[in-house]
Amino acid sequence: MNAHSPCTCVVGLQWGDEAKGKIVDLIGDDYQFVVRYNGGPNAGHTVVWGDRTFKLSLLPTGVLKPTLRSVIGNGLVVYPPRLLEEIDQLEAGGIHVGDNLALSDHAHLIFPYHMEQERATEHGEDGSAIGTTGRGIGPCYQDKVGRSDGIRVGELLHPQHLGERLRTVVPRKNRIIHALANGNGKPCQFDPNELCDEYLRYAERLKPFITDTTSMLQKGLREGKRILFEGAQGSLLDIDFGTYPYVTSSNSLPGGIWNGSGVPSRHLGRIIGVVKAYTTRVGRGPFPSELDDGPTGIGERIRKIGREYGTVTGRPRRVGWFDSVAVRYTAALAGVDEITVMLLDVLSGLKELRICTGYEVDGKKTAHFPSDAFLLERCRPIYDTLPGWSADLTKARKKGDLPAEARRYVDRISELVDVPVSVVSVGPDREQTVMM
Ligand code: GDP
Ligand code: IMO
Ligand code: MG
């Protein structure tokens, strides 16, 4: 950690939903900017203040605090109706979104044909589904990298140009969607002029937010301002280092910051890795420590108590024991200085707890994390067993309030991941936090 560097990153070290939103909200007051650098409306970050719960998808969590500038960086893919809906919901709840929000002109636009394209591949009968959030994330990033069909937010400001682009791109998309349907049902087809009119209506409302956010952030740094980067998804969903192909389409690890915001990584002074006290995963893909133990098992109990249902799609999250092999792998990749252990309260009442400390594969033991899905699929977990505790943790506010077994569990996580634990969370509310 370099205390003189002005930027901090909050990054999930598992498969997403580690409660990054709570940590960003908790420390946000120390910064002038909160920046999303990856992903799009696939994210669902929750912040709880007393009896108020906010769920943010495209907007950075900082938007709840009017003194912070919230930035949707160039690394994102943006679906304008969802963004406007989020802004309207906040406004209806008395949270003003105005000058405090900036949207990168280089971010890419999601169109309805991206979602249609995704539906065709996800719902095919060939078993190749990834279990995505269905928000068009993959097809939009494909178009970004493919170049010929990608359309950026800044293009919304040039009506004639946008119309020309859509009249080139949409017929191609219609042909692709038609081919993917392969005679099954009646594939959805799009009209470029109608889409253009629709997106120009969104543009009218989004215009005040659209800007060159990279120059804005670099100017901020020159003026001595501090930036908090809010990672979306988790490191095991990173396109390069996650459990490919069951990943998302962006770099959720801090490696995504430079490309997704234009802020060079040498400005990063502190990297906070967020983990749950257990593991969850939404969507398909290997999960060695999964608790697949039926409706009366521990997995279902954790799901119920932890309310483990997707923020974006409402899907039940798959649940399992804490996997220290996976988190040691991602903590090293992310270069974290500290970890925060979230949802520890959910484990109260279990007689014994397990932590995965290694895998057995083809009769051999290993502590190495093979991120390729087909290799990870063959790994069987090796567990450490620790005593549980029965006390309710939700009122704990300092280390001494935690039962000895809970402290021992957290210490063991820290030891196995080889990173100090700075925060333990014992409930969704910002008050339900223990500084270690
Ligand atoms: P994110 O995507 O990483 O921001 O996480 P999500 O918001 O998708 O999921 C985390 C969920 O856990 C949210 O519903 C939070 O309100 C909730 N939560 C956060 N911290 C705690 C905690 O310590 N205990 C419990 N029980 N719930 C928590
Ligand atoms: P936050 O920021 C949990 C998962 C999907 C799927 C895979 C690919 O709230 O932690 P995508 O729609 O991105 O193409 O889906 O990634 N996924 C998430 N899982 N939390 C998220 O975001 C996720 N964003 C995507 O379930 O397995
Ligand atoms: Mg989430």
Side-chain angles (χ1 to χ4, degrees):
M1 173 164 125
N2 176 356
H4 301 295
S5 301
C7 304
T8 296
C9 173
V10 171
V11 60
L13 296 183
Q14 295 158 317
W15 278 289
D17 302 326
E18 299 90 348
K20 299 174 288 294
K22 171 168 170 170
I23 295 295
V24 171
D25 177 59
L26 212 56
I27 65 170
D29 291 326
D30 293 341
Y31 299 84
Q32 283 76 46
F33 294 99
V34 178
V35 181
R36 279 276 308 273
Y37 58 90
N38 77 299
N42 47 352
H45 298 177
T46 315
V47 173
V48 179
W49 297 342
D51 57 5
R52 299 191 74 182
T53 298
F54 303 94
K55 294 195 180 287
L56 301 155
S57 187
L58 268 162
L59 289 169
T61 302
V63 79
L64 300 173
K65 300 180 186 185
T67 54
L68 298 182
R69 197 99 202 259
S70 286
V71 177
I72 299 177
N74 59 280
L76 274 81
V77 289
V78 174
Y79 186 50
R82 177 72 197 117
L83 177 57
L84 291 167
E85 191 185 0
E86 262 191 274
I87 293 173
D88 290 342
Q89 278 166 0
L90 286 180
E91 292 274 353
I95 307 250
H96 179 57
V97 183
D99 284 351
N100 58 330
L101 176 68
L103 166 60
S104 169
D105 52 0
H106 280 30
H108 274 252
L109 286 169
I110 298 176
F111 286 90
Y113 50 74
H114 289 127
M115 284 175 261
E116 198 54 34
Q117 200 178 325
E118 182 167 346
R119 246 191 304 276
T121 48
E122 283 288 291
H123 293 178
E125 281 156 15
D126 55 6
S128 68
I130 286 166
T132 68
T133 59
R135 298 298 187 265
I137 306 292
C140 185
Y141 277 115
Q142 280 171 32
D143 281 354
K144 169 179 173 170
V145 180
R147 298 156 300 161
S148 43
D149 292 347
I151 302 181
R152 305 210 277 199
V153 167
E155 294 177 71
L156 289 174
L157 304 178
H158 303 281
Q160 198 185 335
H161 162 86
L162 181 71
E164 285 164 14
R165 289 285 290 141
L166 284 168
R167 280 186 289 277
T168 306
V169 171
V170 174
R172 275 206 285 261
K173 290 289 168 186
N174 282 338
R175 286 196 294 277
I176 290 170
I177 291 164
H178 193 271
L180 286 173
N182 197 21
N184 291 326
K186 196 165 177 288
C188 208
Q189 298 283 280
F190 297 91
D191 180 305
N193 296 317
E194 278 174 22
L195 270 184
C196 185
D197 290 346
E198 182 187 339
Y199 273 62
L200 288 176
R201 283 197 299 278
Y202 303 140
E204 272 313 302
R205 285 198 60 199
L206 290 176
K207 212 184 273 180
F209 307 119
I210 301 173
T211 187
D212 171 359
T213 52
T214 300
S215 301
M216 196 182 90
L217 292 171
Q218 300 220 345
K219 180 167 171 282
L221 285 172
R222 285 196 299 277
E223 291 167 353
K225 299 205 167 119
R226 291 161 60 82
I227 305 174
L228 178 58
F229 290 99
E230 175 173 347
Q233 289 78 58
S235 302
L236 294 170
L237 292 171
D238 183 279
I239 181 72
D240 284 293
F241 297 103
T243 50
Y244 194 89
Y246 300 100
V247 291
T248 191
S249 299
S250 65
N251 286 112
S252 37
L253 275 156
I257 292 177
W258 198 331
N259 284 330
S261 72
V263 174
S265 54
R266 71 187 179 87
H267 294 289
L268 273 179
R270 183 179 174 197
I271 301 181
I272 304 173
V274 187
V275 297
K276 270 180 183 160
Y278 45 95
T279 312
T280 60
R281 167 165 215 172
V282 208
R284 296 183 59 209
F287 181 175
S289 66
E290 182 166 16
L291 274 159
D292 210 356
D293 50 359
T296 55
I298 296 174
E300 185 55 27
R301 177 195 163 113
I302 294 177
R303 184 175 302 114
K304 280 221 177 79
I305 298 175
R307 297 200 205 127
E308 294 295 357
Y309 297 89
T311 313
V312 174
T313 57
R315 288 179 289 178
R317 293 177 183 147
R318 296 160 64 193
V319 171
W321 297 116
F322 187 86
D323 185 340
S324 71
V325 183
V327 175
R328 196 168 50 239
Y329 165 77
T330 53
L333 279 168
V336 300
D337 300 289
E338 62 198 92
I339 54 174
T340 64
V341 178
M342 315 301 284
L343 294 104
L344 188 66
D345 53 298
V346 174
L347 298 181
S348 290
L350 292 173
K351 222 168 127 226
E352 285 183 335
L353 300 172
R354 289 176 164 198
I355 298 180
C356 172
T357 56
Y359 301 137
E360 196 182 300
V361 58
D362 302 333
K364 289 198 193 87
K365 288 183 182 169
T366 176
H368 171 76
F369 185 78
S371 63
D372 299 276
F374 67 98
L375 291 175
L376 190 61
E377 200 73 70
R378 291 172 28 217
C379 290
R380 299 288 157 257
I382 299 170
Y383 290 117
D384 245 19
T385 302
L386 281 83
W389 59 89
S390 55
D392 171 17
L393 303 189
T394 56
K395 296 204 169 54
R397 296 294 177 269
K398 50 186 195 307
K399 201 172 171 181
D401 295 341
L402 298 173
E405 295 82 1
R407 289 205 302 267
R408 189 164 153 207
Y409 181 75
V410 172
D411 287 345
R412 186 75 181 124
I413 287 179
S414 174
E415 197 176 279
L416 287 164
V417 178
D418 201 18
V419 177
V421 172
S422 57
V423 169
V424 166
S425 175
V426 292
D429 196 274
R430 50 184 296 151
E431 302 295 321
Q432 294 174 300
T433 305
V434 177
M435 298 294 172
M436 302 298 276

